[in-house]
Amino acid sequence: MSADSWSDRLLGGFAKTSDRLTGNIAGLLGGAARLTEDQLDDLEDALILSDLGPRAAARIRERLAATRFDNGVDEAAIRAAVAEEIAAILRPVAKPLDVTAFPRPHVVLVIGVNGSGKTTTIAKLAHLFQEQDYAVMLAAGDTFRAAAIGQLGVWADRLGVPIIKGPEGGDPASVVFDAVKAATDKGTDALIVDTAGRLQNKRELMDELAKIRRVLGRLNPAAPHDVVLVLDATNGQNALAQIEVFREVAGVTGLVMTKLDGTARGGVLVAAAEQYGLPIHAIGVGETIDDLRPFDPDLVARVIAGVAA
Ligand SMILES: Nc1nc2c(ncn2[C@@H]2O[C@H](COP(=O)(O)OP(=O)(O)OP(=O)(O)O)[C@@H](O)[C@H]2O)c(=O)[nH]1
Ligand SMILES: [Mg+2]
């Protein structure tokens, strides 16, 4: 797929964010060299309603308040200033996932709520690592449903990578134990661990993830090297609550946002970046193995602000 068509898809992923903003900016024209306080108030409200969050909105407002429009207030200049400020927030958190651990394996624990896209993201990540010539192994740590083990198994077959699994209803920590042992014995570069999605049952989640972490650390004190929280872009603001809970429970080290190819509220990534500063490793823009993309802060900022490419 060409770079153009996947970045076009991103327009949908940020549509609900940028539509609000675009409508508001379009009304802000005037002959003056500066935006008025009323205009700045309106714009700040629109930024907050666009899921960018109060801190990012205040920061963008400040920049616009300081901007002189020599030829009168014009839409393109506002958009450019908004895009630049959003990019400045996003750039520090754009960080691809790297396979760095020695001794091997580099262990990536993948967590998130039900249906956020964990298993699909694992397949995409495995593919990405394979393309970089890393040997990959998967661990079916979602023992909750037989279908979950099967789903990861299908991806493993398709990718031609080994998978370690246990019985349905079994202890995920014991699957993870077996997987780290197998990956260590084989010298596998990257071990990616699937987990069951559940947020509602917080106590159970906490106990289970704590146990998985403990078991990982017993075989390899540095593991897990990454704890990746998968967020569904269509959940909008709820993503922030998920970051809050999973950070506390599982020590999240980075984020992947999926489903940015649909009609989503991806602007929440800006709020997340401003509030938590967690690395954003990649974004999902579709259901196939090639649909994981590096997080490009400048492109995302332009899409949100409606700046023509
Ligand atoms: N459009 C789109 N769909 C996606 C994306 N990522 C995942 N999906 C779809 O979302 C659905 C759920 O994905 P899974 O990977 O099974 O999600 P999960 O988090 O493992 O789900 P549970 O194991 O049930 O918690 C599937 O139909 C995927 O194809 C994406 O980036 N874009
Ligand atoms: Mg799953």
Side-chain angles (χ1 to χ4, degrees):
M1 179 178 304
S2 75
D4 279 353
S5 61
W6 82 261
S7 57
D8 281 352
R9 282 199 231 164
L10 270 185
L11 291 172
F14 293 93
K16 289 187 182 166
T17 297
S18 66
D19 284 356
R20 268 225 172 81
L21 203 55
T22 302
N24 194 278
I25 291 174
L28 282 179
L29 308 178
R34 301 238 178 225
L35 288 164
T36 65
E37 284 300 307
D38 280 353
Q39 287 175 321
L40 288 166
D41 285 346
D42 284 353
L43 198 62
E44 188 172 355
D45 288 348
L47 290 163
I48 293 170
L49 288 172
S50 308
D51 295 317
L52 300 186
R55 281 160 66 172
R59 188 169 156 170
I60 295 166
R61 180 205 170 109
E62 218 169 285
R63 176 178 180 125
L64 288 171
T67 303
R68 232 192 109 75
F69 299 90
D70 287 330
N71 301 314
V73 171
D74 100 80
E75 208 176 312
I78 297 176
R79 283 185 203 291
V82 170
E84 181 45 47
E85 203 59 28
I86 292 173
I89 293 168
L90 294 178
R91 276 183 209 122
V93 298
K95 193 172 164 290
L97 204 56
D98 268 343
V99 177
T100 54
F102 284 101
R104 301 300 208 202
H106 190 104
V107 181
V108 181
L109 185 63
V110 178
I111 63 177
V113 300
N114 292 317
S116 59
K118 294 177 294 297
T119 305
T120 311
T121 298
I122 287 168
K124 293 170 178 175
L125 264 180
H127 178 60
L128 190 75
F129 287 162
Q130 281 183 310
E131 283 187 327
Q132 297 166 42
D133 285 331
Y134 291 121
V136 181
M137 185 182 285
L138 305 182
D142 180 357
T143 57
F144 210 58
R145 299 174 292 123
I149 302 169
Q151 185 192 357
L152 195 70
V154 168
W155 283 119
D157 286 348
R158 224 180 275 175
L159 293 161
V161 300
I163 174 171
I164 304 298
K165 46 191 165 183
E168 180 192 351
D171 181 1
S174 109
V175 175
V176 169
F177 185 89
D178 291 346
V180 174
K181 230 173 150 329
T184 305
D185 290 349
K186 280 185 80 166
T188 303
D189 298 306
L191 171 67
I192 314 178
V193 181
D194 197 11
T195 61
R198 43 203 135 126
L199 180 63
Q200 335 308 352
N201 207 341
K202 211 173 145 186
R203 165 57 58 184
E204 196 183 333
L205 175 85
M206 178 145 48
D207 291 348
E208 182 179 293
L209 285 180
K211 186 170 174 195
I212 290 175
R213 290 196 64 127
R214 239 182 2 257
V215 165
L216 278 169
R218 212 179 296 149
L219 285 170
N220 181 342
H225 304 85
D226 287 286
V227 180
V228 176
L229 175 62
V230 176
L231 299 168
D232 176 339
T234 57
N235 286 343
Q237 286 294 308
N238 197 252
L240 297 175
Q242 290 170 21
I243 295 173
E244 192 74 49
V245 173
F246 278 97
R247 215 169 50 125
E248 194 182 302
V249 168
V252 173
T253 61
L255 308 174
V256 169
M257 183 165 270
T258 62
K259 308 187 195 181
L260 278 168
D261 50 313
T263 305
R265 299 167 59 186
V268 72
L269 271 183
V270 180
E274 178 83 62
Q275 207 167 321
Y276 298 102
L278 286 165
I280 300 172
H281 295 308
I283 55 177
V285 292
E287 297 183 84
T288 77
I289 207 94
D290 292 309
D291 291 330
L292 191 73
R293 300 288 160 181
F295 179 68
D296 178 339
D298 292 278
L299 175 63
V300 166
R302 286 200 302 273
V303 168
I304 291 175
V307 174

